[in-house]
Amino acid sequence: MQAAKQDTLVGAEPLFSPVRIGAIELKNRIVMAPMTRNRADADGTPNELMVEHYAARAEAGLIVAEGTWPSVTGQAYCRQPGIETAEQVVAWRKVTDAVHERGGKIILQVMHAGRIGSCRIKPEGVETVAPSALQAQGEVFTDAAGMQPYDSPRELTTEDVVAVVEEHRQAALNAREAGFDGVELHCTSGYLPMQFLCTGTNRRTDRYGGSLENRVRFAAECLQAMSDAIGRDRVGFRINPGNTYNDTSDDDSVASHVALMQAAARIGVAFVHIMRSPVPEIDAFALAREHFNGSLILNDSFGPETAAAAISEGQGDAVSFARHFIANPDLVSRIRKGLALARFDRKTIYTAGAAGYTDYPTAAE
């Protein structure tokens, strides 16, 4: 293509050098961050809209597909995809094939929501579970009844926790069967791994609660199980020290996340997807460089210039963009050419249908 022959915008060059993250070769260091967009079918099966959406963004060095439930118990939102059923695996294969046909790489973010969810979202009879029987404060949108409070969860037994770890192992296997190049465990935003990690949501007295070592255990066992299933060089995790989203709190967020990174480093997973901390006193990127020995994907509030500078300065190996990828399917080309970036419509981020999802034009259009 003619565009590929043009010189890269001066200053953006660091973003366009190839990099290897575990077993995955990236053609550039621009990563598409996982974004919940609520476009799957009602039963969690990916559809043709999702094929079109992800294929259009295959210029990225790596796509991290949206948070996807390993079992329907872990579903958080309406029209959120799963990776549990044979139909979902086959449907995801259409997405990954389309991305690979355009020269892209794509991994799946595995996301068990734990206590975040509603019985009005999940199929009848599917319960909501958590490390402890503590209801999250807040509400969630349901197609059936509008905004609803989060469910009061049932506390998982020790045997239940072991079974949920197994669900994550199977999810990794299903993801590879669906053609994904790897998986990312969602360990932030108040979902299940973070619920186990944080003192405010984990009141357990078994081996998964109490001490910091015990609170890290669930996420570590999921990472180990996923690594055993598909290879540790195809596994990573996402964290955000200081994050209190979805009613989470922790007595010492830095210590908890350091312990998790150290556990992940011992397992030898490929990368950490580290978000900038919302707490000014916490330098999340520095913590990751100090306590994790794999690749670092940096995230949150980066523009092309600041992303290129972060790579040049050795802060991380790649940078992920979320909002910029919503309205700019050709984000990589726009950065390469120094073109202006389009702005997204906030009203259509989570709505059903093509509007605000597959109808954003490229700069050429």
Side-chain angles (χ1 to χ4, degrees):
M1 299 291 290
Q2 183 178 359
K5 298 178 182 178
Q6 297 184 8
D7 292 337
T8 300
L9 177 69
V10 174
E13 294 94 339
L15 294 174
F16 291 93
S17 60
V19 65
R20 184 183 181 91
I21 294 181
I24 307 171
E25 296 280 357
L26 280 59
K27 59 191 174 185
N28 61 60
R29 298 172 187 247
I30 298 171
V31 175
M32 178 175 163
M35 290 176 283
T36 295
R37 300 301 306 278
N38 305 102
R39 259 46 178 219
D41 291 345
D43 64 355
T45 302
N47 51 41
E48 292 302 320
L49 271 181
M50 294 172 65
V51 175
E52 182 180 351
H53 172 77
Y54 282 112
R57 290 154 178 81
E59 281 187 319
L62 180 68
I63 293 173
V64 187
E66 64 209 272
T68 299
W69 37 270
S71 68
V72 72
T73 306
Q75 182 179 2
Y77 306 113
C78 293
R79 292 167 273 110
Q80 179 190 7
I83 190 67
E84 182 179 21
T85 70
E87 292 77 13
Q88 290 161 357
V89 170
V90 169
W92 271 122
R93 170 63 79 166
K94 295 180 181 179
V95 173
T96 61
D97 282 350
V99 171
H100 290 149
E101 286 168 4
R102 297 194 179 194
K105 300 292 176 64
I106 183 169
I107 66 174
L108 182 69
Q109 185 184 73
V110 178
M111 175 189 140
H112 193 301
R115 68 180 188 162
I116 302 304
S118 168
C119 60
R120 294 180 178 271
I121 292 172
K122 301 171 187 177
E124 184 176 356
V126 176
E127 61 185 350
T128 295
V129 298
S132 300
L134 300 171
Q135 183 178 12
Q137 297 301 303
E139 295 180 321
V140 63
F141 177 79
T142 73
D143 286 337
M147 298 301 294
Q148 292 291 314
Y150 293 123
D151 287 349
S152 295
R154 177 181 69 80
E155 181 173 315
L156 292 161
T157 67
T158 304
E159 293 73 22
D160 290 335
V161 178
V162 174
V164 176
V165 172
E166 169 61 20
E167 291 175 359
H168 284 75
R169 185 193 71 83
Q170 187 61 52
L173 289 171
N174 290 352
R176 287 292 283 154
E177 184 179 348
F180 286 99
D181 298 292
V183 295
E184 173 181 288
L185 180 64
H186 198 340
C187 294
T188 187
S189 299
Y191 302 123
L192 190 61
M194 192 174 184
Q195 292 164 28
F196 273 96
L197 184 66
C198 292
T199 56
T201 47
N202 186 341
R203 307 290 174 81
R204 303 178 68 90
T205 57
D206 65 355
R207 67 177 186 267
Y208 293 99
S211 69
L212 178 52
E213 178 183 7
N214 285 354
R215 287 184 283 111
V216 168
R217 191 184 308 278
F218 173 74
E221 288 187 354
C222 287
L223 289 173
Q224 184 68 67
M226 297 163 97
S227 296
D228 291 344
I230 66 171
R232 63 188 182 181
D233 55 356
R234 295 187 181 275
V235 175
F237 63 112
R238 194 178 204 211
I239 58 172
N240 186 201
N243 188 315
T244 59
Y245 186 70
N246 275 329
D247 192 28
T248 52
S249 62
D250 192 49
D251 291 339
D252 191 339
S253 184
V254 168
S256 296
H257 285 85
V258 165
L260 177 54
M261 284 188 283
Q262 291 173 339
R266 288 191 294 271
I267 295 167
V269 300
F271 69 90
V272 60
H273 194 170
I274 180 80
M275 299 176 69
R276 193 188 310 273
S277 177
V279 179
E281 295 78 18
I282 300 177
D283 187 338
F285 301 157
L287 283 175
R289 290 194 300 274
E290 180 179 358
H291 297 285
F292 183 72
N293 56 5
S295 297
L296 272 60
I297 301 175
L298 311 180
N299 174 259
D300 193 32
S301 303
F302 281 99
E305 297 82 5
T306 55
I311 298 299
S312 294
E313 295 164 5
Q315 294 186 46
D317 299 283
V319 176
S320 70
F321 298 84
R323 288 169 291 182
H324 286 319
F325 262 116
I326 293 176
N328 299 276
D330 58 338
L331 177 64
V332 175
S333 292
R334 291 190 191 223
I335 293 175
R336 188 188 295 275
K337 300 173 187 177
L339 301 179
L341 301 183
R343 303 186 67 174
F344 67 90
D345 181 0
R346 191 173 297 275
K347 295 178 182 178
T348 57
I349 293 178
Y350 305 116
T351 51
Y357 191 62
T358 57
D359 61 350
Y360 286 107
T362 65
E365 295 170 329

mmCIF file with all atom_site columns, all heavy atoms in Angstrom, residues 82 91 98 121 169 205 261-262 265 274 284 297:
data_model
loop_
_atom_site.group_PDB
_atom_site.id
_atom_site.type_symbol
_atom_site.label_atom_id
_atom_site.label_alt_id
_atom_site.label_comp_id
_atom_site.label_asym_id
_atom_site.label_entity_id
_atom_site.label_seq_id
_atom_site.pdbx_PDB_ins_code
_atom_site.Cartn_x
_atom_site.Cartn_y
_atom_site.Cartn_z
_atom_site.occupancy
_atom_site.B_iso_or_equiv
_atom_site.pdbx_formal_charge
_atom_site.auth_seq_id
_atom_site.auth_comp_id
_atom_site.auth_asym_id
_atom_site.auth_atom_id
_atom_site.pdbx_PDB_model_num
ATOM 1  N N   . GLY A 1 82  ? -18.588 -14.147 25.840 1.00 0.00 ? 82  GLY A N   1
ATOM 2  C CA  . GLY A 1 82  ? -18.019 -15.234 26.629 1.00 0.00 ? 82  GLY A CA  1
ATOM 3  C C   . GLY A 1 82  ? -17.050 -16.046 25.793 1.00 0.00 ? 82  GLY A C   1
ATOM 4  O O   . GLY A 1 82  ? -16.980 -15.904 24.572 1.00 0.00 ? 82  GLY A O   1
ATOM 5  N N   . ALA A 1 91  ? -17.398 -18.561 16.969 1.00 0.00 ? 91  ALA A N   1
ATOM 6  C CA  . ALA A 1 91  ? -17.650 -17.170 16.577 1.00 0.00 ? 91  ALA A CA  1
ATOM 7  C C   . ALA A 1 91  ? -16.410 -16.298 16.778 1.00 0.00 ? 91  ALA A C   1
ATOM 8  O O   . ALA A 1 91  ? -16.110 -15.426 15.955 1.00 0.00 ? 91  ALA A O   1
ATOM 9  C CB  . ALA A 1 91  ? -18.830 -16.614 17.377 1.00 0.00 ? 91  ALA A CB  1
ATOM 10 N N   . ALA A 1 98  ? -10.042 -12.892 10.894 1.00 0.00 ? 98  ALA A N   1
ATOM 11 C CA  . ALA A 1 98  ? -10.088 -11.613 10.177 1.00 0.00 ? 98  ALA A CA  1
ATOM 12 C C   . ALA A 1 98  ? -8.901  -10.726 10.551 1.00 0.00 ? 98  ALA A C   1
ATOM 13 O O   . ALA A 1 98  ? -8.317  -10.053 9.697  1.00 0.00 ? 98  ALA A O   1
ATOM 14 C CB  . ALA A 1 98  ? -11.400 -10.891 10.471 1.00 0.00 ? 98  ALA A CB  1
ATOM 15 N N   . ILE A 1 121 ? -29.158 -9.799  34.231 1.00 0.00 ? 121 ILE A N   1
ATOM 16 C CA  . ILE A 1 121 ? -28.266 -9.883  33.073 1.00 0.00 ? 121 ILE A CA  1
ATOM 17 C C   . ILE A 1 121 ? -27.973 -11.337 32.719 1.00 0.00 ? 121 ILE A C   1
ATOM 18 O O   . ILE A 1 121 ? -28.006 -11.723 31.556 1.00 0.00 ? 121 ILE A O   1
ATOM 19 C CB  . ILE A 1 121 ? -26.952 -9.126  33.353 1.00 0.00 ? 121 ILE A CB  1
ATOM 20 C CG1 . ILE A 1 121 ? -27.228 -7.621  33.446 1.00 0.00 ? 121 ILE A CG1 1
ATOM 21 C CG2 . ILE A 1 121 ? -25.888 -9.427  32.305 1.00 0.00 ? 121 ILE A CG2 1
ATOM 22 C CD1 . ILE A 1 121 ? -26.043 -6.801  33.899 1.00 0.00 ? 121 ILE A CD1 1
ATOM 23 N N   . ARG A 1 169 ? -8.310  -21.911 33.383 1.00 0.00 ? 169 ARG A N   1
ATOM 24 C CA  . ARG A 1 169 ? -7.475  -22.792 32.561 1.00 0.00 ? 169 ARG A CA  1
ATOM 25 C C   . ARG A 1 169 ? -8.203  -23.159 31.276 1.00 0.00 ? 169 ARG A C   1
ATOM 26 O O   . ARG A 1 169 ? -7.636  -23.092 30.173 1.00 0.00 ? 169 ARG A O   1
ATOM 27 C CB  . ARG A 1 169 ? -7.113  -24.061 33.339 1.00 0.00 ? 169 ARG A CB  1
ATOM 28 C CG  . ARG A 1 169 ? -6.141  -24.996 32.598 1.00 0.00 ? 169 ARG A CG  1
ATOM 29 C CD  . ARG A 1 169 ? -6.067  -26.360 33.264 1.00 0.00 ? 169 ARG A CD  1
ATOM 30 N NE  . ARG A 1 169 ? -7.293  -27.119 33.065 1.00 0.00 ? 169 ARG A NE  1
ATOM 31 C CZ  . ARG A 1 169 ? -7.571  -27.838 31.972 1.00 0.00 ? 169 ARG A CZ  1
ATOM 32 N NH1 . ARG A 1 169 ? -6.693  -27.908 30.977 1.00 0.00 ? 169 ARG A NH1 1
ATOM 33 N NH2 . ARG A 1 169 ? -8.707  -28.487 31.862 1.00 0.00 ? 169 ARG A NH2 1
ATOM 34 N N   . THR A 1 205 ? -11.233 -16.741 55.614 1.00 0.00 ? 205 THR A N   1
ATOM 35 C CA  . THR A 1 205 ? -10.329 -17.292 56.636 1.00 0.00 ? 205 THR A CA  1
ATOM 36 C C   . THR A 1 205 ? -9.642  -18.578 56.168 1.00 0.00 ? 205 THR A C   1
ATOM 37 O O   . THR A 1 205 ? -8.917  -19.202 56.936 1.00 0.00 ? 205 THR A O   1
ATOM 38 C CB  . THR A 1 205 ? -11.098 -17.581 57.932 1.00 0.00 ? 205 THR A CB  1
ATOM 39 O OG1 . THR A 1 205 ? -12.181 -18.485 57.654 1.00 0.00 ? 205 THR A OG1 1
ATOM 40 C CG2 . THR A 1 205 ? -11.651 -16.293 58.534 1.00 0.00 ? 205 THR A CG2 1
ATOM 41 N N   . MET A 1 261 ? 2.706   -8.883  41.363 1.00 0.00 ? 261 MET A N   1
ATOM 42 C CA  . MET A 1 261 ? 3.707   -8.848  40.297 1.00 0.00 ? 261 MET A CA  1
ATOM 43 C C   . MET A 1 261 ? 4.856   -9.812  40.574 1.00 0.00 ? 261 MET A C   1
ATOM 44 O O   . MET A 1 261 ? 5.361   -10.480 39.667 1.00 0.00 ? 261 MET A O   1
ATOM 45 C CB  . MET A 1 261 ? 4.225   -7.423  40.109 1.00 0.00 ? 261 MET A CB  1
ATOM 46 C CG  . MET A 1 261 ? 3.255   -6.513  39.382 1.00 0.00 ? 261 MET A CG  1
ATOM 47 S SD  . MET A 1 261 ? 3.952   -4.904  38.944 1.00 0.00 ? 261 MET A SD  1
ATOM 48 C CE  . MET A 1 261 ? 3.891   -4.060  40.525 1.00 0.00 ? 261 MET A CE  1
ATOM 49 N N   . GLN A 1 262 ? 5.256   -9.897  41.826 1.00 0.00 ? 262 GLN A N   1
ATOM 50 C CA  . GLN A 1 262 ? 6.338   -10.820 42.172 1.00 0.00 ? 262 GLN A CA  1
ATOM 51 C C   . GLN A 1 262 ? 5.913   -12.267 41.970 1.00 0.00 ? 262 GLN A C   1
ATOM 52 O O   . GLN A 1 262 ? 6.701   -13.095 41.479 1.00 0.00 ? 262 GLN A O   1
ATOM 53 C CB  . GLN A 1 262 ? 6.781   -10.573 43.617 1.00 0.00 ? 262 GLN A CB  1
ATOM 54 C CG  . GLN A 1 262 ? 7.498   -9.246  43.808 1.00 0.00 ? 262 GLN A CG  1
ATOM 55 C CD  . GLN A 1 262 ? 7.786   -8.925  45.259 1.00 0.00 ? 262 GLN A CD  1
ATOM 56 O OE1 . GLN A 1 262 ? 7.139   -9.479  46.168 1.00 0.00 ? 262 GLN A OE1 1
ATOM 57 N NE2 . GLN A 1 262 ? 8.745   -8.039  45.506 1.00 0.00 ? 262 GLN A NE2 1
ATOM 58 N N   . ALA A 1 265 ? 5.943   -12.867 38.286 1.00 0.00 ? 265 ALA A N   1
ATOM 59 C CA  . ALA A 1 265 ? 7.319   -12.991 37.805 1.00 0.00 ? 265 ALA A CA  1
ATOM 60 C C   . ALA A 1 265 ? 7.878   -14.377 38.084 1.00 0.00 ? 265 ALA A C   1
ATOM 61 O O   . ALA A 1 265 ? 8.605   -14.942 37.262 1.00 0.00 ? 265 ALA A O   1
ATOM 62 C CB  . ALA A 1 265 ? 8.196   -11.914 38.455 1.00 0.00 ? 265 ALA A CB  1
ATOM 63 N N   . ILE A 1 274 ? 0.061   -2.534  32.534 1.00 0.00 ? 274 ILE A N   1
ATOM 64 C CA  . ILE A 1 274 ? 0.043   -1.716  33.745 1.00 0.00 ? 274 ILE A CA  1
ATOM 65 C C   . ILE A 1 274 ? -0.581  -0.352  33.461 1.00 0.00 ? 274 ILE A C   1
ATOM 66 O O   . ILE A 1 274 ? -0.121  0.385   32.585 1.00 0.00 ? 274 ILE A O   1
ATOM 67 C CB  . ILE A 1 274 ? 1.468   -1.581  34.336 1.00 0.00 ? 274 ILE A CB  1
ATOM 68 C CG1 . ILE A 1 274 ? 1.490   -0.719  35.600 1.00 0.00 ? 274 ILE A CG1 1
ATOM 69 C CG2 . ILE A 1 274 ? 2.468   -1.074  33.305 1.00 0.00 ? 274 ILE A CG2 1
ATOM 70 C CD1 . ILE A 1 274 ? 1.058   -1.444  36.827 1.00 0.00 ? 274 ILE A CD1 1
ATOM 71 N N   . ALA A 1 284 ? 3.000   3.708   39.181 1.00 0.00 ? 284 ALA A N   1
ATOM 72 C CA  . ALA A 1 284 ? 2.732   2.313   38.827 1.00 0.00 ? 284 ALA A CA  1
ATOM 73 C C   . ALA A 1 284 ? 3.758   1.772   37.842 1.00 0.00 ? 284 ALA A C   1
ATOM 74 O O   . ALA A 1 284 ? 4.161   0.604   37.924 1.00 0.00 ? 284 ALA A O   1
ATOM 75 C CB  . ALA A 1 284 ? 1.323   2.189   38.247 1.00 0.00 ? 284 ALA A CB  1
ATOM 76 N N   . ILE A 1 297 ? 3.434   -3.349  29.114 1.00 0.00 ? 297 ILE A N   1
ATOM 77 C CA  . ILE A 1 297 ? 2.556   -2.578  28.237 1.00 0.00 ? 297 ILE A CA  1
ATOM 78 C C   . ILE A 1 297 ? 1.954   -1.469  29.096 1.00 0.00 ? 297 ILE A C   1
ATOM 79 O O   . ILE A 1 297 ? 1.254   -1.737  30.074 1.00 0.00 ? 297 ILE A O   1
ATOM 80 C CB  . ILE A 1 297 ? 1.452   -3.444  27.625 1.00 0.00 ? 297 ILE A CB  1
ATOM 81 C CG1 . ILE A 1 297 ? 2.045   -4.601  26.816 1.00 0.00 ? 297 ILE A CG1 1
ATOM 82 C CG2 . ILE A 1 297 ? 0.534   -2.592  26.746 1.00 0.00 ? 297 ILE A CG2 1
ATOM 83 C CD1 . ILE A 1 297 ? 1.014   -5.575  26.282 1.00 0.00 ? 297 ILE A CD1 1
#
